[in-house]
Amino acid sequence: AAAPSAGISEIRDAVNDISNKQTQSSILKTLVQHAAQFTPRGAFFIIKNEHLVGWRVFGKEGNTDEQIVREVFFPAASSTVLGEAVRSLTTVESSYGTFDDDSIYLNKLEFGQPERMYAIPLVVRGRSVAVLYADYGSESEEVNIGALEMLVRVAGLTVEILASSRGGAQP
């Protein structure tokens, strides 16, 4: 199966859009908006006080209520694909059952038991500040992991530049 139909021009436009934002919130909103082009379903989590907090769900199968997403809250140290990405500072590919605690967020978001799922950390100044989750959805469509990794990296760099230009404020 081919990756989602979005191509190089969509990636270029997404990179330009993300890198031109002037606030952390607008950078992250734009990242999530464009990430929907490259996966049928995903979620974005922010790290607050060593916990992962649900922020947004996206993609054509990502129709979980915003209030439910924001109720997802668990320690970043939990045995999840998300926690592993946060700890390793790298993209982690997994399947349901590999990590003991993935059901914490998958059940709440009604994502089921995905055969293939990815977690991509958003790294700022050498530490994870958020993580993007993507999977193949219920119809087993492809995920363009390369495009997602590129967008997350650009968002991280843009947040770093923004923080530096504002006198070193922490993101």
Side-chain angles (χ1 to χ4, degrees):
S5 60
I8 195 72
S9 62
E10 287 83 0
I11 296 170
R12 179 203 60 224
D13 293 346
V15 165
N16 288 338
D17 198 13
I18 292 166
S19 63
N20 285 320
K21 297 303 175 197
Q22 298 299 311
T23 66
Q24 180 178 322
S25 177
S26 64
I27 292 165
L28 300 182
K29 285 178 186 174
T30 305
L31 165 63
V32 168
Q33 174 190 350
H34 287 289
Q37 299 176 86
F38 304 103
T39 184
R41 178 173 68 192
F44 194 75
F45 299 84
I46 305 292
I47 299 172
K48 286 186 178 179
N49 301 322
E50 305 301 319
H51 284 77
L52 287 159
V53 182
W55 191 61
R56 292 267 199 296
V57 172
F58 57 89
K60 69 179 185 180
E61 290 187 35
N63 29 352
T64 305
D65 181 270
E66 285 285 321
Q67 185 59 39
I68 291 173
V69 172
R70 292 173 190 253
E71 291 172 4
V72 177
F73 178 85
F74 59 96
S78 297
S79 176
T80 64
V81 68
L82 302 172
E84 183 60 27
V86 167
R87 288 185 291 278
S88 68
L89 302 176
T90 61
T91 298
V92 177
E93 179 181 355
S94 184
S95 60
Y96 186 82
T98 301
F99 294 96
D100 294 337
D101 298 328
D102 280 329
S103 62
I104 291 172
Y105 60 92
L106 291 173
N107 290 346
K108 191 90 167 175
L109 300 176
E110 298 180 0
F111 280 10
Q113 299 179 358
E115 288 183 34
R116 291 175 73 187
M117 50 192 187
Y118 300 92
I120 307 165
L122 192 147
V123 179
V124 176
R125 295 185 177 168
R127 66 183 185 96
S128 296
V129 297
V131 62
L132 185 138
Y133 168 91
D135 70 29
Y136 285 60
S138 61
E139 299 176 20
S140 295
E141 293 182 39
E142 288 293 316
V143 172
N144 187 333
I145 193 66
L148 292 173
E149 288 175 319
M150 185 181 309
L151 298 185
V152 171
R153 181 71 177 133
V154 167
L157 291 171
T158 305
V159 169
E160 278 190 29
I161 291 168
L162 180 66
S164 295
S165 70
R166 294 193 174 156
Q170 286 294 320

